[in-house]
Amino acid sequence: MSDTRRRVKVYTLNEDRQWDDRGTGHVSSSYVEELKGMSLLVRAESDGSLLLESKINPNTAYQKQQDTLIVWSEAENYDLALSFQEKAGCDEIWEKICQVQGKDPSVEVTQDLIDESEEERFEDMPETSHLIDLPTCELSKLEEIADLVTSVLSSPIRREKLALALENEGYIKKLLQLFQACEDLENSEGLHHLYEIIRGILFLNKATLFEVMFSDECIMDVVGCLEYDPALAQPKRHREFLTKTAKFKEVIPITDSELRQKIHQTYRVQYIQDIILPTPSVFEENFLSTLTSFIFFNKVEIVSMLQEDEKFLSEVFAQLTDEATDDDKRRELVNFFKEFCAFSQTLQPQNRDAFFKTLAKLGILPALEIVMGMDDLQVRSAATDIFSYLVEFSPSMVREFVMQEAQQSDDDILLINVVIEQMICDTDPELGGAVQLMGLLRTLIDPENMLATTNKTEKSEFLNFFYNHCMHVLTAPLLTNTSEDKCEKDNILGSNKTNTICPDNYQTAQLLALILELLTFCVEHHTYHIKNYIMNKDLLRRVLVLMNSKHTFLALCALRFMRRIIGLKDEFYNRYITKGNLFEPVINALLDNGTRYNLLNSAVVELFEFIRVEDIKSLTAHIVENFYKALESIEYVQTFKGLKTKYEQEKDRQNQKLNSVPSILRSNRFRRDAKALEDDEEMWFNEDDDEEGKAVVIPIEKSKTEDDFPDSYEKFMETKKVLLMEQTVQTVSLWWLRQHQQVQMGPLPKLQT
């Protein structure tokens, strides 16, 4: 259906009294057999599915608000709203509703809002008593008016009747005239009564009254009435703040007078709700639901109007990216975009997608790259908030931008590296900004939200890019703080081992913990790429230096990193750990911890218990052969004795196997199963295609200080040699078995070798 008159957004009110967008579609009214009555139907414009099917109940109170909204309640705590694109469509559906209920379409509400108890109490009231008689609007009657307004708040039907009376008699404008007179006369008693009256009228929760109160003509007098709270010794100066302190900044002049008026109105109403009105009690929390809706739909309208003004947005971006723009102006532009993106969260998903695509097309990401590198903390903070909106909207869009950028720019000015630098250089002692940026980086490098195409190019291409252009920036603080020239080596009294203590203050320790959290995430999700990086950089050895940190949380982060590696049960990692003797710092930390039963103790014991339960033979053998003497005194858990038992059982099995073959085959170098080595070879070159894609990954270059560490090719050649030797031995073994069994059982079928 192409009729824009009937194009609507469907909203429902959630438990937090916020409107949730249920989608966009086209509304119609027709008779539905199952519901046995005329009903409102909304079908999604994307796929034609049914978004709403609601019978027009003769007793349901429908409200028409702001010319393009129809709001009603279908059941207790279930409110619905239709927001029309055009006023004509709203009027058309409103006439259908009024026709079913037998009402005049000129009314704003089709029924009185009555709960069950009120229905019973007032069911015998005569038809003529449908309105409340209001006192004459004069100074001497203010106390009586205040009592009347306060008394009706507990009764839904009386609130509705009072609202109708106030609307029909133009009473609010008369009250505001009295307010001006009371201020001129300095009549404090009258001003206190007017505070109670205006506050009570707001709690009537009527959109038609809000439209009067929040008009340009009345809103400042409404704010003035709310300054004179009787509970305060001196009145507040809210009007002075709104007119003098709060300045409306136009980064680019807004020529649309309706848009300007809507922005002013929304700011002032939000100020009334958040600042002036006290926090509602449990009994009052539903009194201002319509006020919340009023603000919500105003924001939707503001974003829509700004988005449709292409000339305005183009001018904003032109100034934001212009090198001639001074810092103050750029700060205002960034703050504008931050508010703009915050308002955009009120849009329905399809419109929000279009909004962010428009920003991307106009160049929001290159602009952010500039402002995130500025010295102004406020600008950087606002730019980070905008970046978080973009990453939340579409991580793939950000990834695509940075990969294209890498073809034209140096590593130092890449957007992701700018983000990493901001995380590393966060001056906040609690690293609040760094924590936020770390979360955004994790979203960007998470394979789970990368596009799942047949060839998985986004995963392989982006991870290649990240490990070649960005990983060195992320790990730089870690490698710097664990290098030999940065660490102190103190000989422990009564011990012949060397204790390496990293000189980390609390803020540095927090930063290193964040980096380790990201690296641990990489171990879990980037099987091949992070393995190659860890091997080439000998990264685990550097991380385990932090086991000696005076900050226990940092030592636990280092241990968690190793635990994730061991948890993969990957023999390449296992050989790397045993060859590098990387259990030593962990066992030293356990022994230094002594008899203290704390988190560090439990975490280390759990690591060894995992190895025992999973029966990781290579690690078990290494631990028992090298460290059992130091660990055998630990008896409060059976973990280490269990490891010794596993080791001895495996040794017995190996001896039994050796006894069944000739002495020529008993050399330790031929003990490994040939199939295990073949599996390792496959694992190294075809690591988890489902995770990383099938693209060939360019190896990370080795640093010159780590040339003694064997590279991947040397490992492969060594493995290949062993494999060939074992295949030869296997052939000899088959021949020997054949000859042996021929003696006992007769000839065997001919073997193919």
Side-chain angles (χ1 to χ4, degrees):
M1 186 184 297
S2 59
D3 186 0
T4 58
R5 289 184 307 157
R6 293 196 174 189
R7 190 167 184 265
V8 294
K9 307 169 191 172
V10 180
Y11 294 95
T12 58
L13 198 65
N14 62 28
E15 294 177 355
D16 299 324
R17 310 303 295 172
Q18 300 293 321
W19 287 102
D20 289 336
D21 186 355
R22 296 302 182 190
T24 300
H26 292 86
V27 65
S28 62
S29 61
S30 60
Y31 185 85
V32 176
E33 185 65 35
E34 292 180 2
L35 300 178
K36 297 182 179 179
M38 292 294 292
S39 304
L40 296 177
L41 305 175
V42 179
R43 294 197 174 274
E45 64 179 1
S46 57
D47 58 8
S49 60
L50 199 61
L51 295 177
L52 176 69
E53 184 178 58
S54 172
K55 181 181 177 181
I56 302 175
N57 194 312
N59 299 318
T60 297
Y62 291 84
Q63 298 180 58
K64 184 182 176 187
Q65 301 176 9
Q66 302 179 38
D67 292 332
T68 56
L69 281 174
I70 297 177
V71 182
W72 73 98
S73 298
E74 292 227 327
E76 188 176 357
N77 297 325
Y78 187 67
D79 294 348
L80 288 159
L82 294 180
S83 175
F84 288 79
Q85 182 170 326
E86 296 185 11
K87 179 179 181 296
C90 184
D91 292 341
E92 186 178 333
I93 295 299
W94 183 250
E95 287 180 11
K96 297 284 187 183
I97 294 171
C98 292
Q99 184 180 347
V100 172
Q101 296 197 340
K103 301 291 182 180
D104 185 344
S106 63
V107 300
E108 299 289 336
V109 181
T110 62
Q111 302 286 335
D112 292 336
L113 303 177
I114 307 173
D115 61 17
E116 291 181 5
S117 60
E118 290 292 322
E119 281 184 339
E120 292 172 4
R121 193 182 308 168
F122 292 99
E123 62 184 358
D124 297 328
M125 288 181 66
E127 291 284 334
T128 54
S129 61
H130 64 283
L131 289 180
I132 290 177
D133 292 328
L134 294 170
T136 311
C137 193
E138 55 188 44
L139 289 175
S140 60
K141 299 284 187 179
L142 284 176
E143 184 175 1
E144 183 181 345
I145 298 169
D147 291 341
L148 172 63
V149 172
T150 306
S151 67
V152 305
L153 294 179
S154 59
S155 166
I157 189 171
R158 298 195 69 207
R159 287 206 308 269
E160 189 67 27
K161 289 184 175 183
L162 177 60
L164 287 171
L166 292 170
E167 184 182 348
N168 291 344
E169 298 183 24
Y171 208 77
I172 291 175
K173 290 184 178 179
K174 296 176 184 177
L175 286 170
L176 295 178
Q177 289 174 357
L178 287 182
F179 165 72
Q180 294 170 359
C182 286
E183 273 209 316
D184 292 341
L185 297 171
E186 298 183 355
N187 181 347
S188 59
E189 184 180 357
L191 292 169
H192 289 159
H193 289 318
L194 280 164
Y195 169 86
E196 298 290 352
I197 293 167
I198 294 300
R199 180 176 177 274
I201 292 174
L202 286 172
F203 282 146
L204 292 178
N205 207 25
K206 290 291 293 180
T208 51
L209 298 181
F210 290 163
E211 289 176 10
V212 176
M213 297 172 78
F214 301 149
S215 64
D216 287 349
E217 180 185 355
C218 300
I219 191 166
M220 295 311 292
D221 286 335
V222 169
V223 172
C225 291
L226 295 172
E227 290 178 349
Y228 292 94
D229 185 349
L232 300 176
Q234 295 293 326
K236 295 286 186 180
R237 296 184 175 181
H238 296 301
R239 285 171 294 173
E240 183 179 331
F241 175 84
L242 288 172
T243 55
K244 296 179 181 178
T245 307
K247 299 294 183 183
F248 177 58
K249 294 182 179 179
E250 293 181 80
V251 290
I252 302 292
I254 296 175
T255 55
D256 188 335
S257 59
E258 182 184 354
L259 175 58
R260 287 170 59 89
Q261 187 273 333
K262 190 71 69 176
I263 292 171
H264 284 304
Q265 183 189 61
T266 304
Y267 176 78
R268 290 165 180 168
V269 176
Q270 189 88 59
Y271 183 86
I272 290 172
Q273 184 186 47
D274 294 344
I275 306 299
I276 299 179
L277 291 177
T279 304
S281 67
V282 175
F283 304 103
E284 298 173 332
E285 61 183 4
N286 292 331
F287 285 0
L288 294 174
S289 60
T290 305
L291 182 61
T292 302
S293 302
F294 186 94
I295 296 168
F296 172 83
F297 289 114
N298 262 19
K299 288 181 176 180
V300 171
E301 199 168 342
I302 289 170
V303 174
S304 299
M305 293 171 76
L306 281 173
Q307 190 179 346
E308 290 167 6
D309 191 342
E310 295 180 4
K311 186 183 287 186
F312 175 82
L313 284 180
S314 298
E315 181 63 25
V316 172
F317 271 101
Q319 292 200 22
L320 186 62
T321 54
D322 188 351
E323 293 182 2
T325 304
D326 61 66
D327 289 349
D328 290 339
K329 181 71 172 178
R330 188 171 278 116
R331 184 183 306 116
E332 291 177 3
L333 289 164
V334 173
N335 285 327
F336 163 77
F337 269 117
K338 177 186 171 182
E339 291 298 315
F340 196 21
C341 290
F343 271 35
S344 74
Q345 301 306 295
T346 61
L347 293 173
Q348 58 181 329
Q350 298 95 322
N351 286 358
R352 190 159 62 243
D353 289 355
F355 168 78
F356 281 113
K357 285 175 182 175
T358 301
L359 293 189
K361 186 178 178 181
L362 290 168
I364 186 67
L365 287 168
L368 282 178
E369 202 167 57
I370 296 171
V371 296
M372 288 187 83
M374 292 177 64
D375 294 332
D376 191 313
L377 183 61
Q378 185 183 359
V379 170
R380 290 207 310 268
S381 175
T384 301
D385 289 338
I386 297 170
F387 186 63
S388 69
Y389 285 123
L390 293 168
V391 171
E392 181 184 349
F393 160 67
S394 175
S396 291
M397 180 183 75
V398 179
R399 286 192 284 261
E400 183 181 356
F401 168 78
V402 296
M403 284 192 288
Q404 290 175 352
E405 182 188 34
Q407 300 171 7
Q408 305 164 358
S409 307
D410 296 332
D411 285 2
D412 292 343
I413 59 174
L414 293 177
L415 177 59
I416 289 192
N417 285 344
V418 172
V419 171
I420 294 172
E421 292 284 358
Q422 292 303 316
M423 183 182 89
I424 292 170
C425 300
D426 189 4
T427 55
D428 178 8
E430 297 299 323
L431 295 185
V435 171
Q436 182 184 8
L437 290 169
M438 189 272 291
L440 297 175
L441 281 172
R442 183 161 61 180
T443 301
L444 288 173
I445 64 175
D446 186 357
E448 293 296 322
N449 64 47
M450 294 182 186
L451 294 177
T453 57
T454 51
N455 56 5
K456 297 185 174 64
T457 54
E458 185 183 18
K459 290 183 182 181
S460 56
E461 287 179 9
F462 181 76
L463 291 177
N464 281 342
F465 157 80
F466 182 77
Y467 279 84
N468 283 307
H469 296 277
C470 308
M471 185 57 105
H472 67 282
V473 182
L474 177 64
T475 56
L478 176 64
L479 297 175
T480 301
N481 281 278
T482 56
S483 61
E484 291 185 5
D485 58 341
K486 277 282 282 188
C487 296
E488 305 168 354
K489 292 190 175 178
D490 302 324
N491 288 326
I492 298 178
L493 196 60
S495 172
N496 33 354
K497 68 173 179 147
T498 301
N499 187 29
T500 308
I501 303 173
C502 187
D504 51 332
N505 58 37
Y506 179 70
Q507 190 167 349
T508 303
Q510 278 191 309
L511 175 62
L512 295 178
L514 285 179
I515 294 170
L516 279 174
E517 187 175 337
L518 264 181
L519 291 174
T520 304
F521 178 85
C522 292
V523 167
E524 290 179 296
H525 295 86
H526 302 167
T527 310
Y528 173 79
H529 292 82
I530 189 66
K531 182 194 297 184
N532 198 21
Y533 193 85
I534 289 172
M535 299 285 189
N536 284 329
K537 296 293 182 183
D538 199 8
L539 188 63
L540 181 56
R541 183 184 304 279
R542 303 292 281 272
V543 168
L544 290 175
V545 170
L546 302 175
M547 290 295 298
N548 294 303
S549 171
K550 63 183 179 182
H551 304 286
T552 306
F553 71 87
L554 182 56
L556 287 167
C557 286
L559 185 63
R560 189 182 305 119
F561 180 70
M562 186 178 191
R563 172 66 177 80
R564 289 294 182 274
I565 290 175
I566 292 174
L568 296 174
K569 297 189 285 187
D570 185 323
E571 274 305 309
F572 276 95
Y573 275 133
N574 294 344
R575 284 201 295 275
Y576 163 62
I577 290 170
T578 55
K579 191 169 183 178
N581 196 30
L582 298 181
F583 276 111
E584 184 176 12
V586 177
I587 290 170
N588 285 341
L590 176 65
L591 297 175
D592 291 344
N593 191 59
T595 58
R596 284 172 290 185
Y597 183 61
N598 53 21
L599 191 56
L600 180 62
N601 175 279
S602 298
V604 174
V605 169
E606 190 278 332
L607 172 68
F608 290 107
E609 181 66 14
F610 175 82
I611 295 170
R612 184 190 71 80
V613 171
E614 295 296 324
D615 195 15
I616 305 176
K617 294 179 175 55
S618 58
L619 297 184
T620 301
H622 175 75
I623 294 164
V624 173
E625 290 170 1
N626 293 277
F627 303 105
Y628 187 70
K629 286 185 178 180
L631 298 171
E632 63 180 342
S633 61
I634 298 176
E635 296 183 343
Y636 53 85
V637 290
Q638 297 302 307
T639 298
F640 302 107
K641 288 187 176 179
L643 283 171
K644 180 72 178 298
T645 304
K646 291 271 188 184
Y647 171 74
E648 290 172 346
Q649 290 172 350
E650 178 62 20
K651 198 171 180 182
D652 290 343
R653 278 196 294 270
Q654 293 293 336
N655 288 334
Q656 289 173 8
K657 286 182 181 180
L658 284 173
N659 291 334
S660 66
V661 297
S663 59
I664 192 173
L665 303 177
R666 293 181 189 177
S667 172
N668 283 340
R669 67 182 299 185
F670 302 128
R671 254 194 231 174
R672 283 236 25 224
D673 185 271
K675 186 177 183 305
L677 283 172
E678 286 177 352
D679 290 344
D680 284 349
E681 179 189 350
E682 282 294 309
M683 196 184 337
W684 181 253
F685 286 100
N686 303 310
E687 183 66 55
D688 200 354
D689 285 344
D690 290 338
E691 173 100 10
E692 306 275 77
K694 299 177 182 175
V696 176
V697 181
I698 302 168
I700 308 297
E701 290 183 3
K702 294 189 301 178
S703 63
K704 291 183 180 178
T705 59
E706 293 158 343
D707 283 340
D708 58 333
F709 198 79
D711 62 18
S712 307
Y713 179 75
E714 291 168 344
K715 282 184 176 182
F716 168 64
M717 292 306 295
E718 180 183 349
T719 302
K720 197 74 175 176
K721 288 177 184 177
V722 174
L723 182 61
L724 288 171
M725 291 293 294
E726 290 202 12
Q727 285 173 341
T728 304
V729 171
Q730 189 177 38
T731 303
V732 174
S733 299
L734 287 170
W735 175 86
W736 180 86
L737 284 170
R738 182 182 171 202
Q739 299 301 317
H740 182 69
Q741 290 183 2
Q742 277 182 327
V743 173
Q744 296 183 349
M745 302 172 59
L748 291 172
K750 187 174 181 180
L751 293 175
Q752 299 294 327
T753 59

mmCIF file of all heavy atoms in Angstrom, residues 725-749:
data_model
loop_
_atom_site.group_PDB
_atom_site.id
_atom_site.type_symbol
_atom_site.label_atom_id
_atom_site.label_comp_id
_atom_site.label_asym_id
_atom_site.label_seq_id
_atom_site.Cartn_x
_atom_site.Cartn_y
_atom_site.Cartn_z
ATOM 1 N N MET A 725 59.789 -40.233 9.956
ATOM 2 C CA MET A 725 60.466 -41.281 10.700
ATOM 3 C C MET A 725 59.463 -42.258 11.290
ATOM 4 O O MET A 725 59.645 -43.482 11.244
ATOM 5 C CB MET A 725 61.308 -40.658 11.826
ATOM 6 C CG MET A 725 62.524 -39.874 11.317
ATOM 7 S SD MET A 725 63.775 -40.946 10.550
ATOM 8 C CE MET A 725 64.308 -41.877 11.957
ATOM 9 N N GLU A 726 58.351 -41.726 11.818
ATOM 10 C CA GLU A 726 57.360 -42.588 12.456
ATOM 11 C C GLU A 726 56.640 -43.450 11.429
ATOM 12 O O GLU A 726 56.265 -44.587 11.704
ATOM 13 C CB GLU A 726 56.373 -41.751 13.260
ATOM 14 C CG GLU A 726 57.010 -41.142 14.491
ATOM 15 C CD GLU A 726 55.977 -40.775 15.541
ATOM 16 O OE1 GLU A 726 54.822 -41.197 15.410
ATOM 17 O OE2 GLU A 726 56.355 -40.087 16.474
ATOM 18 N N GLN A 727 56.421 -42.873 10.242
ATOM 19 C CA GLN A 727 55.791 -43.692 9.207
ATOM 20 C C GLN A 727 56.701 -44.878 8.825
ATOM 21 O O GLN A 727 56.241 -46.003 8.594
ATOM 22 C CB GLN A 727 55.514 -42.835 7.972
ATOM 23 C CG GLN A 727 54.329 -41.891 8.172
ATOM 24 C CD GLN A 727 54.176 -40.932 7.012
ATOM 25 O OE1 GLN A 727 55.103 -40.725 6.246
ATOM 26 N NE2 GLN A 727 52.991 -40.356 6.901
ATOM 27 N N THR A 728 58.018 -44.637 8.779
ATOM 28 C CA THR A 728 58.972 -45.709 8.492
ATOM 29 C C THR A 728 58.911 -46.780 9.580
ATOM 30 O O THR A 728 58.854 -47.987 9.320
ATOM 31 C CB THR A 728 60.393 -45.138 8.395
ATOM 32 O OG1 THR A 728 60.411 -44.107 7.417
ATOM 33 C CG2 THR A 728 61.395 -46.227 8.015
ATOM 34 N N VAL A 729 58.884 -46.297 10.845
ATOM 35 C CA VAL A 729 58.825 -47.221 11.981
ATOM 36 C C VAL A 729 57.529 -48.023 11.956
ATOM 37 O O VAL A 729 57.490 -49.207 12.245
ATOM 38 C CB VAL A 729 58.958 -46.427 13.302
ATOM 39 C CG1 VAL A 729 58.671 -47.342 14.473
ATOM 40 C CG2 VAL A 729 60.356 -45.849 13.410
ATOM 41 N N GLN A 730 56.439 -47.325 11.575
ATOM 42 C CA GLN A 730 55.148 -48.009 11.534
ATOM 43 C C GLN A 730 55.184 -49.156 10.511
ATOM 44 O O GLN A 730 54.669 -50.252 10.735
ATOM 45 C CB GLN A 730 54.043 -47.004 11.163
ATOM 46 C CG GLN A 730 52.644 -47.579 11.320
ATOM 47 C CD GLN A 730 51.595 -46.520 11.024
ATOM 48 O OE1 GLN A 730 51.801 -45.717 10.123
ATOM 49 N NE2 GLN A 730 50.518 -46.528 11.761
ATOM 50 N N THR A 731 55.825 -48.928 9.368
ATOM 51 C CA THR A 731 55.937 -49.980 8.336
ATOM 52 C C THR A 731 56.735 -51.169 8.865
ATOM 53 O O THR A 731 56.347 -52.332 8.700
ATOM 54 C CB THR A 731 56.630 -49.391 7.091
ATOM 55 O OG1 THR A 731 55.876 -48.267 6.644
ATOM 56 C CG2 THR A 731 56.685 -50.424 5.975
ATOM 57 N N VAL A 732 57.843 -50.851 9.575
ATOM 58 C CA VAL A 732 58.658 -51.928 10.159
ATOM 59 C C VAL A 732 57.850 -52.701 11.189
ATOM 60 O O VAL A 732 57.907 -53.929 11.269
ATOM 61 C CB VAL A 732 59.940 -51.333 10.785
ATOM 62 C CG1 VAL A 732 60.720 -52.425 11.524
ATOM 63 C CG2 VAL A 732 60.794 -50.693 9.719
ATOM 64 N N SER A 733 57.042 -51.950 11.986
ATOM 65 C CA SER A 733 56.234 -52.602 13.022
ATOM 66 C C SER A 733 55.236 -53.559 12.404
ATOM 67 O O SER A 733 55.015 -54.671 12.891
ATOM 68 C CB SER A 733 55.492 -51.544 13.838
ATOM 69 O OG SER A 733 56.389 -50.700 14.459
ATOM 70 N N LEU A 734 54.599 -53.135 11.331
ATOM 71 C CA LEU A 734 53.616 -53.997 10.667
ATOM 72 C C LEU A 734 54.286 -55.269 10.136
ATOM 73 O O LEU A 734 53.745 -56.379 10.220
ATOM 74 C CB LEU A 734 52.946 -53.224 9.524
ATOM 75 C CG LEU A 734 51.943 -52.155 9.957
ATOM 76 C CD1 LEU A 734 51.537 -51.309 8.757
ATOM 77 C CD2 LEU A 734 50.722 -52.795 10.588
ATOM 78 N N TRP A 735 55.497 -55.081 9.584
ATOM 79 C CA TRP A 735 56.210 -56.259 9.075
ATOM 80 C C TRP A 735 56.521 -57.235 10.198
ATOM 81 O O TRP A 735 56.317 -58.433 10.078
ATOM 82 C CB TRP A 735 57.512 -55.790 8.404
ATOM 83 C CG TRP A 735 58.379 -56.952 7.955
ATOM 84 C CD1 TRP A 735 58.304 -57.628 6.790
ATOM 85 C CD2 TRP A 735 59.440 -57.546 8.715
ATOM 86 N NE1 TRP A 735 59.250 -58.624 6.748
ATOM 87 C CE2 TRP A 735 59.959 -58.594 7.931
ATOM 88 C CE3 TRP A 735 59.988 -57.270 9.975
ATOM 89 C CZ2 TRP A 735 61.014 -59.377 8.365
ATOM 90 C CZ3 TRP A 735 61.035 -58.055 10.403
ATOM 91 C CH2 TRP A 735 61.541 -59.102 9.600
ATOM 92 N N TRP A 736 57.017 -56.690 11.317
ATOM 93 C CA TRP A 736 57.373 -57.558 12.448
ATOM 94 C C TRP A 736 56.150 -58.290 12.979
ATOM 95 O O TRP A 736 56.188 -59.491 13.247
ATOM 96 C CB TRP A 736 58.012 -56.706 13.547
ATOM 97 C CG TRP A 736 58.398 -57.552 14.745
ATOM 98 C CD1 TRP A 736 59.562 -58.249 14.925
ATOM 99 C CD2 TRP A 736 57.595 -57.800 15.899
ATOM 100 N NE1 TRP A 736 59.551 -58.913 16.105
ATOM 101 C CE2 TRP A 736 58.344 -58.654 16.741
ATOM 102 C CE3 TRP A 736 56.326 -57.374 16.291
ATOM 103 C CZ2 TRP A 736 57.855 -59.085 17.962
ATOM 104 C CZ3 TRP A 736 55.860 -57.810 17.508
ATOM 105 C CH2 TRP A 736 56.611 -58.662 18.330
ATOM 106 N N LEU A 737 55.012 -57.570 13.125
ATOM 107 C CA LEU A 737 53.781 -58.194 13.638
ATOM 108 C C LEU A 737 53.324 -59.311 12.714
ATOM 109 O O LEU A 737 52.850 -60.374 13.144
ATOM 110 C CB LEU A 737 52.683 -57.133 13.779
ATOM 111 C CG LEU A 737 52.814 -56.194 14.971
ATOM 112 C CD1 LEU A 737 51.807 -55.059 14.859
ATOM 113 C CD2 LEU A 737 52.604 -56.955 16.274
ATOM 114 N N ARG A 738 53.457 -59.038 11.416
ATOM 115 C CA ARG A 738 53.042 -60.059 10.438
ATOM 116 C C ARG A 738 53.855 -61.343 10.603
ATOM 117 O O ARG A 738 53.325 -62.452 10.638
ATOM 118 C CB ARG A 738 53.220 -59.493 9.027
ATOM 119 C CG ARG A 738 52.774 -60.438 7.927
ATOM 120 C CD ARG A 738 53.040 -59.806 6.583
ATOM 121 N NE ARG A 738 52.815 -60.769 5.526
ATOM 122 C CZ ARG A 738 53.339 -60.683 4.328
ATOM 123 N NH1 ARG A 738 54.145 -59.693 4.042
ATOM 124 N NH2 ARG A 738 53.070 -61.579 3.415
ATOM 125 N N GLN A 739 55.199 -61.158 10.731
ATOM 126 C CA GLN A 739 56.047 -62.325 10.885
ATOM 127 C C GLN A 739 55.752 -63.046 12.190
ATOM 128 O O GLN A 739 55.683 -64.278 12.245
ATOM 129 C CB GLN A 739 57.545 -61.910 10.860
ATOM 130 C CG GLN A 739 57.988 -61.247 9.555
ATOM 131 C CD GLN A 739 57.774 -62.158 8.359
ATOM 132 O OE1 GLN A 739 58.068 -63.359 8.429
ATOM 133 N NE2 GLN A 739 57.247 -61.614 7.276
ATOM 134 N N HIS A 740 55.524 -62.292 13.263
ATOM 135 C CA HIS A 740 55.267 -62.868 14.571
ATOM 136 C C HIS A 740 53.972 -63.676 14.568
ATOM 137 O O HIS A 740 53.907 -64.779 15.101
ATOM 138 C CB HIS A 740 55.224 -61.740 15.607
ATOM 139 C CG HIS A 740 55.006 -62.234 17.011
ATOM 140 N ND1 HIS A 740 55.956 -62.951 17.705
ATOM 141 C CD2 HIS A 740 53.936 -62.105 17.831
ATOM 142 C CE1 HIS A 740 55.489 -63.246 18.894
ATOM 143 N NE2 HIS A 740 54.261 -62.749 18.999
ATOM 144 N N GLN A 741 52.913 -63.095 13.937
ATOM 145 C CA GLN A 741 51.615 -63.768 13.950
ATOM 146 C C GLN A 741 51.586 -64.950 12.983
ATOM 147 O O GLN A 741 50.840 -65.895 13.169
ATOM 148 C CB GLN A 741 50.515 -62.767 13.593
ATOM 149 C CG GLN A 741 50.313 -61.758 14.702
ATOM 150 C CD GLN A 741 49.165 -60.799 14.408
ATOM 151 O OE1 GLN A 741 48.518 -60.941 13.376
ATOM 152 N NE2 GLN A 741 48.945 -59.874 15.298
ATOM 153 N N GLN A 742 52.401 -64.911 11.932
ATOM 154 C CA GLN A 742 52.467 -66.052 11.012
ATOM 155 C C GLN A 742 52.976 -67.290 11.738
ATOM 156 O O GLN A 742 52.549 -68.417 11.486
ATOM 157 C CB GLN A 742 53.374 -65.737 9.829
ATOM 158 C CG GLN A 742 52.654 -64.953 8.744
ATOM 159 C CD GLN A 742 53.575 -64.689 7.562
ATOM 160 O OE1 GLN A 742 54.779 -64.521 7.746
ATOM 161 N NE2 GLN A 742 53.014 -64.681 6.379
ATOM 162 N N VAL A 743 53.907 -67.079 12.661
ATOM 163 C CA VAL A 743 54.440 -68.205 13.427
ATOM 164 C C VAL A 743 53.346 -68.807 14.295
ATOM 165 O O VAL A 743 53.194 -70.025 14.400
ATOM 166 C CB VAL A 743 55.638 -67.749 14.289
ATOM 167 C CG1 VAL A 743 56.075 -68.884 15.217
ATOM 168 C CG2 VAL A 743 56.783 -67.302 13.398
ATOM 169 N N GLN A 744 52.487 -67.924 14.941
ATOM 170 C CA GLN A 744 51.485 -68.408 15.889
ATOM 171 C C GLN A 744 50.193 -68.829 15.233
ATOM 172 O O GLN A 744 49.532 -69.763 15.654
ATOM 173 C CB GLN A 744 51.192 -67.318 16.931
ATOM 174 C CG GLN A 744 52.404 -67.003 17.791
ATOM 175 C CD GLN A 744 52.074 -65.980 18.855
ATOM 176 O OE1 GLN A 744 51.015 -65.386 18.803
ATOM 177 N NE2 GLN A 744 52.970 -65.791 19.800
ATOM 178 N N MET A 745 49.750 -68.126 14.185
ATOM 179 C CA MET A 745 48.402 -68.308 13.654
ATOM 180 C C MET A 745 48.381 -68.712 12.183
ATOM 181 O O MET A 745 47.325 -68.839 11.590
ATOM 182 C CB MET A 745 47.607 -67.013 13.814
ATOM 183 C CG MET A 745 47.504 -66.548 15.258
ATOM 184 S SD MET A 745 46.782 -64.922 15.349
ATOM 185 C CE MET A 745 45.225 -65.230 14.557
ATOM 186 N N GLY A 746 49.488 -68.838 11.562
ATOM 187 C CA GLY A 746 49.471 -69.101 10.130
ATOM 188 C C GLY A 746 49.581 -67.811 9.360
ATOM 189 O O GLY A 746 49.606 -66.714 9.914
ATOM 190 N N PRO A 747 49.621 -67.900 8.056
ATOM 191 C CA PRO A 747 49.850 -66.698 7.226
ATOM 192 C C PRO A 747 48.670 -65.730 7.288
ATOM 193 O O PRO A 747 47.530 -66.142 7.410
ATOM 194 C CB PRO A 747 50.035 -67.279 5.825
ATOM 195 C CG PRO A 747 49.327 -68.586 5.863
ATOM 196 C CD PRO A 747 49.491 -69.121 7.253
ATOM 197 N N LEU A 748 48.990 -64.442 7.227
ATOM 198 C CA LEU A 748 47.984 -63.376 7.165
ATOM 199 C C LEU A 748 47.766 -62.996 5.709
ATOM 200 O O LEU A 748 48.626 -63.225 4.867
ATOM 201 C CB LEU A 748 48.475 -62.138 7.927
ATOM 202 C CG LEU A 748 48.569 -62.260 9.449
ATOM 203 C CD1 LEU A 748 49.245 -61.024 10.001
ATOM 204 C CD2 LEU A 748 47.187 -62.432 10.053
ATOM 205 N N PRO A 749 46.617 -62.318 5.412
ATOM 206 C CA PRO A 749 46.458 -61.767 4.060
ATOM 207 C C PRO A 749 47.577 -60.783 3.786
ATOM 208 O O PRO A 749 48.103 -60.140 4.691
ATOM 209 C CB PRO A 749 45.099 -61.052 4.131
ATOM 210 C CG PRO A 749 44.404 -61.687 5.276
ATOM 211 C CD PRO A 749 45.451 -62.109 6.246
#
